[in-house]
């Protein structure tokens, strides 16, 4: 199957759910992609493609759905996986980054010994909206002096301009939506 046909198949499997979890939100349900071994495998292969000829030491996934893609990518790229967790979930010494949401704030954490200075890593998440979560996650990696060689996103909600907050990074999104 060609890359264009793969993208079309993935786009066809993602379900748009209006007004979920609240009015005005068009939720992108990725469950049909994850439940199909063929589609999920294709998505991981395409997300890994930009990094096949690069030295990648670790894939770092953002809690929670970013873990799904990051673990699979780490296995395919034959490297380690590191989780970025929500506040209070990590047991050892960590760095933390608080960021603003339209309805409050959240904090992400990363173990201090997760990555070494200049270690080449990929940051992965399922959805890029306003870019707040990915920007906070990138800040955590930079606090530990990691080398972010790419940010890989399954779905980008283009109209929310999250890419703009991450313009200093090599960002790739598999599917883009305007709604």
């Amino acid at each position: 199957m060609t890359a264009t046909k793969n993208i079309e198949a993935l786009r066809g499997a993602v379900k748009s759910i209006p007004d979920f979890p609240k009015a005005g939100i068009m939720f992108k349900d990725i469950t049909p992609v994850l439940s199909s071994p063929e589609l999920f495998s294709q998505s991981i292969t395409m997300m890994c493609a930009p990094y096949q000829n690069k030295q990648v030491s670790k894939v770092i996934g953002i809690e929670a759905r970013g873990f799904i893609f990051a673990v699979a990518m780490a296995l395919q790229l034959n490297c380690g996986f590191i989780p970025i967790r929500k506040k209070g979930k990590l047991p050892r010494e960590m760095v933390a980054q608080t960021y603003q949401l339209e309805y409050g704030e959240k904090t992400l954490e990363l173990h201090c010994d997760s990555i070494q200075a200049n270690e080449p890593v990929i940051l992965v998440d399922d959805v890029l909206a306003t870019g707040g979560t990915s920007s906070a996650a990138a800040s955590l990696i930079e606090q530990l002096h990691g080398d972010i060689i790419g940010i890989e996103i399954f779905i980008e909600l283009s109209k929310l301009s999250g890419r703009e907050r991450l313009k200093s990074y090599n960002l790739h999104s598999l599917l883009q939506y305007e709604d």
Side-chain angles (χ1 to χ4, degrees), residues 39-142:
L39 291 176
F40 185 46
S41 177
Q42 288 171 0
S43 67
I44 297 304
T45 297
M46 288 187 285
M47 290 173 79
C48 287
Y51 311 101
Q52 287 298 335
N53 296 320
K54 297 188 180 197
Q55 294 289 357
V56 178
S57 181
K58 296 188 179 120
V59 178
I60 301 176
I62 302 171
E63 187 169 349
R65 295 187 316 174
F67 291 177
I68 298 166
F69 294 98
V71 168
M73 287 179 67
L75 288 171
Q76 186 161 329
L77 293 169
N78 195 33
C79 61
F81 163 75
I82 300 295
I84 288 183
R85 302 291 314 264
K86 295 174 183 170
K87 184 177 181 176
K89 302 284 186 178
L90 295 176
R92 299 189 322 272
E93 183 181 357
M94 84 256 337
V95 290
Q97 182 69 43
T98 299
Y99 62 103
Q100 299 299 313
L101 301 166
E102 71 249 15
Y103 50 85
E105 64 181 31
K106 283 193 176 179
T107 301
L108 295 176
E109 298 176 335
L110 176 64
H111 275 135
C112 288
D113 62 356
S114 294
I115 55 176
Q116 304 302 311
N118 302 312
E119 189 171 22
V121 301
I122 303 168
L123 179 61
V124 177
D125 207 1
D126 65 323
V127 174
L128 175 65
T130 64
T133 304
S134 293
S135 180
S139 176
L140 287 172
I141 295 166
E142 290 172 344

Side-chain angles (χ1 to χ4, degrees), residues 24-26 28 128-130 156-163 176-179:
I25 304 283
M26 180 64 73
K28 300 299 182 194
L128 175 65
T130 64
E156 178 180 358
L157 304 176
S158 303
K159 76 174 183 175
L160 298 177
S161 303
R163 181 178 286 272
Q176 300 81 35
Y177 290 90
E178 292 296 325
D179 62 347

